[in-house]
């Protein structure tokens, strides 16, 4: 949102669903553990403002059921209030979301 922009170089957490199997596997309907990470088996890439964004983690969000978290670093994008964010996994792109980058 424009009143709380991120900055170039910040690591942002993107929450989503549908990223599939993790390693280790978590039972359907069970919350992701708080004491360890559960990364996805199929790698996820991110683009912010049309530029590749380094992904440092993609997996289940700790303590939640079926909620995934992707941590990505904001690249040197053109600043603005509607900068696109797109995730890609297995050749399939997500819908675009937007963030403000200042």
């Amino acid at each position: 949102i424009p009143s709380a922009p991120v900055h170039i170089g910040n690591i942002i957490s993107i929450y989503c669903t549908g990223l599939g199997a993790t390693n280790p596997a978590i039972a359907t309907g069970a919350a992701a553990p708080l004491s360890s990470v559960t990364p996805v088996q199929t790698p996820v890439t991110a683009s912010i403002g049309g530029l590749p964004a380094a992904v440092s983690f993609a997996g289940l969000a700790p303590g939640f059921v079926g909620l995934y978290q992707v941590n990505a670093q904001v690249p040197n994008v053109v600043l603005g209030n509607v900068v696109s964010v797109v995730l890609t996994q297995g050749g399939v792109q997500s819908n675009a979301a937007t963030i403000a980058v200042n």
Side-chain angles (χ1 to χ4, degrees), residues 26-80:
I26 301 298
T28 300
L34 296 171
S35 60
S36 62
V37 295
T38 49
V40 294
Q41 289 182 3
T42 304
V44 174
T45 60
S47 70
I48 299 175
L51 299 176
V55 172
S56 56
F57 174 74
L60 288 171
F64 289 91
V65 175
L67 181 66
Y68 293 84
Q69 176 180 333
V70 177
N71 296 340
Q73 187 171 26
V74 179
N76 191 19
V77 297
V78 174
L79 305 180

